[in-house]
Amino acid sequence: MKRQLLGLFAVVLVGLVSEGQAVVPPDVKCRDALGKAARRLQMKILQAQAACHQSRMAGKPGYPSGLNCNDLSQLPTASLNSILKAQLAFENAAIRKCDLAGASSPATLGYLACVAPCESISLTSSHVSLQTCLACLIQSQAFSTTRSLYGDFPDPPLLVGNTAAQACQKALGKASRDLFAKRLQQQLLCQYKVNLGKIPPTNCLTSDLTGAIAKKQAAMDALIRKHCSDGLLAVLTSCSNNQNGAVACSLGTGTGLADFIFQQIYNPPALTPTPTVTETGTPTATPTPTATGTATATSTPTDTATFTPTRTPTNTRTATTTRTPTETGTPTQTPTETPTETPTQTPTETATPTPSNTLPPGIPTYTPTNTPTITNTPTHTPTRTFTPTQTPSPTFTFTPTFTPTNTPTNTPTQTPTPTNTPLPTSTFTATPSPSPTSTPTPIVKTCSIGGTNSRLGLQWDKTVLFISLGRTVCPVTGSTNIVFGPQDPNGVRPVTIPASSISFNAVTCNVAGLSTVTICVESTGVDGVGILDCDGGEPNYGFLTQVDHNTNNPPQSNGGFPADPTCTATETDPVTGSISTACLEQTGGTCNANNLHPGVCNSPYHFSYPGTFSAAGMTVRVPLRLKTVSSSSGNPCDGVGDTYGATTEVSAFLTTGTARGTVFDSNNENRKIDQGASCRGGSCVTQVTGAPLTNFCANPANSLSGSKMVTAIGVLDLDSTAGDTVATVELQCQ
């Protein structure tokens, strides 16, 4: 998660593993994995910030003087991708080594609350929430550490041509990072051995069992003294303008940073006040080396994570809390029972391959399983047979209701009628035949989809790294035919969208500048069906879909559905009769691909159609197949040289009215993604409105230009980093 964050602060030593206390292996492995992943993420951020500062100071292209390298949001894309990769590895460690490995809950291990400046992050039973907290704190430390070593923007000087000063600045950053990495590595290794009983109980915060920390500290001391003279330090805006102070500052920040993360992993703090970074004329005493070439071991831990010696004794910097990260989830698939309407035959179950989850986000990764294939047999009285079929998401099966039929007509025949008269000749009289009966011809119109109002929207409520994702909008283009049947006395026409006419171009989405995903949309081979009501007044117009991420308990202040402690609730679609079932996330379960929130019950999907058709309103259900492109040697989605990741089939309920989606307890927090609610990154947009076929109803000879079909759906844990989303689709005919 990307955030601007505060300086180093004191920690309270609580929850230490006491001598002789048994620790089960899953807990040992969990903490060790979290510590190692935290170390990697911290290093990636520090390295990225340092590289940015060095390039800016040297005047390299792409690094203007106005670039604030302390602000993660301004780092180059390559650096952000490197940080994001480390962040995802950190999250993966929490899932695989903790949640799925059977480790004790964060609370059992002593993690009771996330501290400032990340105190708004709620710790749950999942270690993903703990990882979110730790990642937030790591970024806080990176901001303060780099600001101390390089200066606060816009102070860091440009050093174009002054290679000696550049080398000094580089040495200060490298010394701090390298000592941090070595110290934390040895601390984690020490504690791992203690917890497994391989060595006697030891205070691993301050111990240096092999002397590796002292050796690295001495080497880094020498590095700074080699490259930094008092004269060069005077050019910089680092935390000291003399050699001894620079050594103490650089090595002190590295030491304090390692100690801070170690404490967060093994000695989780209670709530503590947020400290400020106070600039003083002389270094503040901390567990750091003295300003000599000889390494000095620290005998006891202190309450100060690090110090920030600076150039002047007057100014006090107070860091500022920024956007709050939230829990990270993965796509949650909700099984549903789908009633299948069969005229006379029983549906045959056809297994559909289960798609794999893909990153970055793009489409709902529902997994259709054992979907009935309908065989339509013409009869006068269809028999409706409901066969419950478990599917991960509401799946709609359609039987077209409009079938053009040929009406037989009588052919005129000449019937000679002999008449016996006394006349010398006979007269033949033709018998009149019935006139031919006309058959209504379906009206076929083409909808060319495009323009600024044709788009896919993904509304997020997460902060990834330092960017609040907000809403991702992707253009949609393509075309389809719409076939209109004869109009009945109420102004209603049956509507069919032939599967063979559906054609979409590749949909490319860029999520907050972090990643790009390409989606292919194609027909499943089944026609879409619906109605057009030119007069208005038909029921079941518009569309509302709602889902609750957590129904373990009653609704919270942001709303939701009733508590479902047994996680067995069901919901029946009032129009299609399809059944959606609650789903329990659990280790090794099949609720979704990753089960990031073990023990959390996801509600059934609730569908409603609250409106009455307006004049010229239309609704139609269209079965579609969605595929994410993994790679392409040419044009994506043309099937030539393409490889695909996740594939899923959905039944899009399109309406020219209003479609709205809602996710309660979004990302397993007391929040919601709903139209007008507060989403991180701005106000939520989860409702879209179509445009009726007014011109066509006025005169069927007119085109469909200006009409628009829309839909919306809430998706739980669509992406392991971005979390829950509400997807909206708008398709306007040109």
Side-chain angles (χ1 to χ4, degrees):
M1 280 84 268
K2 303 179 177 180
R3 306 171 181 83
Q4 288 184 343
L5 299 165
L6 294 183
L8 305 172
F9 55 92
V11 295
V12 178
L13 304 183
V14 295
L16 283 169
V17 178
S18 61
E19 182 175 350
Q21 180 180 353
V23 181
V24 297
D27 291 349
V28 174
K29 293 178 181 178
C30 172
R31 275 183 153 152
D32 184 60
L34 291 176
K36 290 177 179 177
R39 175 177 173 269
R40 286 193 294 268
L41 177 59
Q42 187 77 85
M43 278 295 288
K44 286 294 184 183
I45 296 176
L46 293 176
Q47 289 170 340
Q49 289 174 317
C52 177
H53 273 296
Q54 294 296 139
S55 296
R56 174 187 172 277
M57 289 178 169
K60 290 185 177 180
Y63 294 85
S65 59
L67 180 64
N68 183 3
C69 295
N70 295 336
D71 181 1
L72 297 186
S73 66
Q74 298 188 36
L75 296 179
T77 301
S79 296
L80 295 181
N81 288 337
S82 177
I83 295 171
L84 181 58
K85 184 176 180 181
Q87 161 70 14
L88 296 178
F90 193 3
E91 182 176 319
N92 190 45
I95 297 169
R96 293 176 55 250
K97 299 296 185 180
C98 298
D99 284 343
L100 300 183
S104 300
S105 68
T108 301
L109 294 178
Y111 303 104
L112 304 179
C114 195
V115 295
C118 307
E119 66 273 20
S120 61
I121 299 175
S122 300
L123 298 186
T124 68
S125 59
S126 171
H127 286 81
V128 174
S129 66
L130 174 60
Q131 177 271 328
T132 302
C133 167
L134 294 173
C136 174
L137 296 174
I138 283 169
Q139 292 173 72
S140 170
Q141 303 310 297
F143 177 80
S144 298
T145 298
T146 304
R147 185 179 65 174
S148 174
L149 293 173
Y150 287 84
D152 200 8
F153 186 81
D155 294 340
L158 297 178
L159 304 173
V160 180
N162 191 343
T163 56
Q166 292 178 37
C168 174
Q169 182 67 81
K170 184 176 181 180
L172 291 172
K174 176 177 173 56
S176 181
R177 292 193 309 274
D178 286 8
L179 180 58
F180 154 76
K182 178 59 68 175
R183 184 178 180 88
L184 183 56
Q185 177 195 53
Q186 294 300 305
Q187 290 171 327
L188 295 174
L189 180 59
C190 170
Q191 192 66 56
Y192 185 70
K193 291 180 177 179
V194 168
N195 290 344
L196 290 181
K198 293 185 177 181
I199 62 175
T202 304
N203 185 352
C204 293
L205 178 70
T206 58
S207 296
D208 185 8
L209 300 180
T210 65
I213 298 175
K215 183 178 180 180
K216 175 62 71 173
Q217 185 170 292
M220 294 301 97
D221 183 300
L223 178 69
I224 295 174
R225 295 182 186 280
K226 176 181 178 180
H227 292 284
C228 295
S229 64
D230 288 355
L232 291 175
L233 287 166
V235 176
L236 306 178
T237 53
S238 188
C239 47
S240 180
N241 58 6
N242 64 80
Q243 193 178 73
N244 287 344
V247 169
C249 172
S250 178
L251 301 188
T253 54
T255 298
L257 193 55
D259 292 352
F260 172 78
I261 293 181
F262 179 80
Q263 295 282 57
Q264 295 297 319
I265 299 297
Y266 284 103
N267 307 316
L271 292 174
T272 57
T274 305
T276 58
V277 180
T278 304
E279 301 188 358
T280 61
T282 58
T284 305
T286 61
T288 62
T290 61
T292 66
T294 304
T296 303
T298 303
S299 59
T300 59
T302 66
D303 289 337
T304 304
T306 189
F307 67 87
T308 312
T310 57
R311 302 173 64 90
T312 60
T314 56
N315 297 327
T316 300
R317 292 181 181 148
T318 302
T320 305
T321 304
T322 61
R323 302 180 182 99
T324 304
T326 61
E327 290 185 90
T328 305
T330 55
T332 303
Q333 298 167 345
T334 306
T336 50
E337 292 185 18
T338 305
T340 304
E341 188 170 351
T342 309
T344 57
Q345 298 186 19
T346 303
T348 302
E349 295 190 348
T350 304
T352 304
T354 301
S356 58
N357 291 315
T358 58
L359 184 73
I363 59 171
T365 54
Y366 298 111
T367 310
T369 307
N370 295 333
T371 302
T373 302
I374 298 175
T375 304
N376 291 322
T377 303
T379 62
H380 291 289
T381 308
T383 301
R384 187 175 179 89
T385 303
F386 288 91
T387 304
T389 302
Q390 292 294 328
T391 61
S393 62
T395 303
F396 303 103
T397 307
F398 309 106
T399 303
T401 57
F402 169 65
T403 305
T405 56
N406 294 322
T407 303
T409 58
N410 295 325
T411 304
T413 57
Q414 297 292 329
T415 306
T417 306
T419 304
N420 295 320
T421 64
L423 296 176
T425 58
S426 300
T427 303
F428 296 93
T429 303
T431 301
S433 301
S435 301
T437 302
S438 61
T439 300
T441 302
I443 301 172
V444 181
K445 294 290 183 178
T446 298
C447 172
S448 297
I449 301 167
T452 57
N453 290 325
S454 293
R455 52 195 176 179
L456 165 67
L458 299 172
Q459 178 63 64
W460 312 101
D461 184 31
K462 286 294 290 291
T463 298
V464 177
L465 293 181
F466 51 79
I467 294 179
S468 293
L469 296 183
R471 186 171 186 245
T472 299
V473 178
C474 329
V476 177
T477 58
S479 67
T480 187
N481 289 341
I482 303 179
V483 181
F484 300 93
Q487 182 170 301
D488 69 13
N490 295 319
V492 176
R493 293 177 181 268
V495 174
T496 302
I497 295 183
S500 59
S501 73
I502 297 173
S503 176
F504 284 93
N505 298 317
V507 180
T508 300
C509 297
N510 184 278
V511 183
L514 292 176
S515 54
T516 299
V517 63
T518 299
I519 306 166
C520 303
V521 183
E522 59 189 31
S523 169
T524 63
V526 179
D527 293 349
V529 294
I531 64 169
L532 168 66
D533 185 1
C534 285
D535 294 346
E538 289 293 310
N540 302 319
Y541 191 52
F543 185 53
L544 172 64
T545 173
Q546 298 174 304
V547 64
D548 193 333
H549 198 125
N550 189 328
T551 52
N552 294 54
N553 301 305
Q556 302 184 75
S557 59
N558 276 294
F561 297 122
D564 181 17
T566 60
C567 204
T568 56
T570 61
E571 186 71 17
T572 302
D573 188 308
V575 172
T576 68
S578 63
I579 300 174
S580 177
T581 305
C583 180
L584 181 67
E585 298 183 54
Q586 55 188 317
T587 302
T590 58
C591 186
N592 60 64
N594 295 291
N595 297 286
L596 291 182
H597 308 91
V600 171
C601 181
N602 303 158
S603 79
Y605 278 83
H606 292 236
F607 297 98
S608 60
Y609 310 83
T612 299
F613 272 69
S614 63
M618 183 177 75
T619 61
V620 60
R621 296 181 185 272
V622 184
L624 297 173
R625 181 179 296 113
L626 309 178
K627 302 186 295 187
T628 56
V629 179
S630 299
S631 63
S632 177
S633 60
N635 295 323
C637 302
D638 65 359
V640 179
D642 295 338
T643 59
Y644 304 104
T647 298
T648 186
E649 293 186 359
V650 298
S651 187
F653 179 83
L654 299 172
T655 176
T656 57
T658 297
R660 177 172 177 171
T662 304
V663 175
F664 297 109
D665 293 324
S666 59
N667 300 307
N668 201 30
E669 298 180 279
N670 184 20
R671 299 178 62 85
K672 68 177 177 179
I673 304 177
D674 191 23
Q675 180 69 20
S678 176
C679 282
R680 295 180 176 97
S683 180
C684 301
V685 178
T686 70
Q687 178 174 300
V688 285
T689 302
L693 281 66
T694 305
N695 291 337
F696 175 82
C697 282
N699 183 354
N702 292 334
S703 72
L704 303 180
S705 178
S707 61
K708 184 169 70 169
M709 299 172 286
V710 299
T711 192
I713 186 72
V715 187
L716 301 184
D717 295 330
L718 173 61
D719 178 72
S720 61
T721 297
D724 299 343
T725 188
V726 171
T728 57
V729 179
E730 301 169 82
L731 306 175
Q732 185 168 53
C733 299
Q734 300 298 294

